[in-house]
Amino acid sequence: MTPPTVHAGDPALRATLALLVAGAVLLAVHCAVHAVRARTLVPLLALAGGVLALPIEPFWDVNVGFTFAADTHPVAFTAFGRHIPLYLAFIYPAFIGWGSFLGWQMIRRG
């Protein structure tokens, strides 16, 4: 069954992208400060790993039948006939990368 076509308004897309970019910049600064203080590259590598995990999104979308709004722009890339919006490039480092880093920190601390 094909998912329904949904649409997003341009102001909402711009506001979402602006908030996510600002959040990603703050998170990158936070991780850089932590990396310098702790003398480790792990927080920055975790963020980079989050970016590198982005290509898995179309596989997930196809398997669960998820679709983004048809008029979502800008598009980061297209795979399997799915347009992957650019704003995901700012979400994945936070959830996949920083989330993994926080999990690592909790394991380290017992």
Side-chain angles (χ1 to χ4, degrees):
M1 185 165 145
T2 305
T5 301
V6 295
H7 298 280
D10 192 48
L13 290 170
R14 289 178 191 269
T16 300
L17 186 57
L19 286 172
L20 290 172
V21 168
V25 167
L26 289 174
L27 181 59
V29 168
H30 170 73
C31 287
V33 168
H34 182 76
V36 169
R37 286 183 182 164
R39 295 183 183 176
T40 180
L41 289 176
V42 173
L44 298 173
L45 292 173
L47 288 181
V51 173
L52 293 175
L54 184 60
I56 201 159
E57 180 68 27
F59 294 107
W60 171 255
D61 294 347
V62 168
N63 285 328
V64 300
F66 182 80
T67 186
F68 291 99
D71 55 354
T72 299
H73 62 279
V75 173
F77 63 95
T78 302
F80 303 111
R82 307 279 179 156
H83 298 295
I84 306 303
L86 180 63
Y87 61 77
L88 285 182
F90 302 102
I91 294 174
Y92 266 68
F95 284 102
I96 305 294
W98 192 48
S100 298
F101 173 70
L102 290 177
W104 176 70
Q105 286 285 76
M106 287 195 278
I107 290 169
R108 263 185 78 206
R109 293 178 182 164

